[in-house]
Amino acid sequence: MGPLSTSVNGQTIGSPIQSPAPAPSPAPEYTNLTELLSVAGPFNTFLDYLVSTKVIDTFQEQANNTKEGITLFVPKDSAFSKLKKPSLSNLTGDQFKSLCFFHALPHYYSLADFKNLSEISPVSTFAGGELYSLNFRYVSGTVHLSSGWANTKVSSAVHATYPVAVYQVDKVLLPEAIFGTNIPLVPAPVVDIAPDADSPDHGKNVAASSPDSSSRSSSYRMMNWGMLNHLFLAIVGEFLMFLLF
């Protein structure tokens, strides 16, 4: 069917039929982070920190009012109860806020994205700065992350739909900017090493470690004493016979 037209004074006036405009793409679904964390797992401690520091408001703004989205690493409640040293009790308000920001990346990342992310580590977190960065390793589909003070892994994907990704971790992520770069090393286990055969103490160590060494020495002394005793009696007997005859 051609365009609609009409004739006025011998001139044709008309306009073509326009095809309907494409429907706009649906906006990302709004994600209420407070509600999500309160029902998704044992994250009450971390959620309380986000609310008390008002960091949750910044995260919510990033999640729903930017195109970048957000990625959260959320420690379980048990991760905070197991944390002994360093303690969080002496942190200032600003440090506590930075600690919360340290558990987020200002971009949405699916689990598959961490394979490429591990190649450009360290990655700056929402807290910003070199000492607020995380290192990632992607091994056989498992995401490992390290803050220097804590080495952990993503144990489950709580929510992974753009623009919000929430991943559960088993340890609290502790930034070097707050707790320093003097990270305590785990002492290596002590291993007993046997001495070399040419060592001057080798014979002593073998004798000391042998359970039969003392018994063999006692038997040797008893045998020598018995031989001397028989020799003494023989000499005495010969002397007596000489006196009698």
Side-chain angles (χ1 to χ4, degrees):
M1 181 176 178
L4 295 177
S5 62
T6 183
S7 177
V8 178
N9 296 327
Q11 295 181 351
T12 301
I13 302 174
S15 60
I17 299 176
Q18 297 180 351
S19 60
S25 57
E29 181 181 355
Y30 179 85
T31 303
N32 187 317
L33 294 178
T34 303
E35 181 179 343
L36 174 63
L37 295 178
S38 62
V39 300
F43 308 133
N44 294 323
T45 302
F46 186 65
L47 179 58
D48 288 344
Y49 291 155
L50 294 182
V51 173
S52 63
T53 57
K54 299 188 179 189
V55 170
I56 190 68
D57 298 333
T58 304
F59 286 172
Q60 192 69 67
E61 176 74 15
Q62 177 74 16
N64 296 114
N65 295 324
T66 70
K67 293 182 179 180
E68 292 294 325
I70 192 171
T71 299
L72 292 175
F73 301 103
V74 186
K76 300 185 296 184
D77 289 340
S78 58
F80 289 95
S81 61
K82 292 178 181 178
L83 187 62
K84 304 300 181 185
K85 291 183 179 181
S87 174
L88 306 183
S89 59
N90 297 325
L91 298 186
T92 65
D94 288 341
Q95 287 175 329
F96 229 116
K97 183 177 291 188
S98 295
L99 177 71
C100 293
F101 280 132
F102 188 59
H103 286 74
L105 303 179
H107 187 83
Y108 169 83
Y109 293 103
S110 66
L111 281 174
D113 291 332
F114 286 100
K115 184 175 183 180
N116 294 330
L117 202 64
S118 63
E119 298 176 358
I120 61 173
S121 288
V123 178
S124 182
T125 65
F126 217 109
E130 182 180 353
L131 296 182
Y132 283 107
S133 59
L134 289 171
N135 287 285
F136 294 93
R137 288 189 304 113
Y138 188 83
V139 183
S140 302
T142 301
V143 180
H144 300 260
L145 57 159
S146 170
S147 68
W149 282 86
N151 297 299
T152 185
K153 64 182 179 179
V154 171
S155 54
S156 68
V158 178
H159 182 91
T161 302
Y162 176 81
V164 175
V166 177
Y167 300 110
Q168 176 181 300
V169 292
D170 297 329
K171 292 184 179 180
V172 181
L173 304 179
L174 305 175
E176 294 181 5
I178 295 177
F179 299 99
T181 57
N182 189 22
I183 301 170
L185 299 176
V186 178
V190 178
V191 179
D192 292 332
I193 302 176
D196 296 334
D198 295 335
S199 172
D201 295 331
H202 176 68
K204 296 179 181 179
N205 292 336
V206 171
S209 60
S210 174
D212 297 328
S213 60
S214 60
S215 60
R216 286 198 299 266
S217 299
S218 299
S219 300
Y220 181 76
R221 288 194 298 269
M222 291 178 64
M223 183 179 64
N224 288 342
W225 172 252
M227 292 177 63
L228 292 173
N229 190 34
H230 284 294
L231 181 60
F232 176 77
L233 292 176
I235 294 173
V236 171
E238 289 290 338
F239 179 75
L240 292 175
M241 291 179 64
F242 177 78
L243 291 179
L244 292 175
F245 296 98

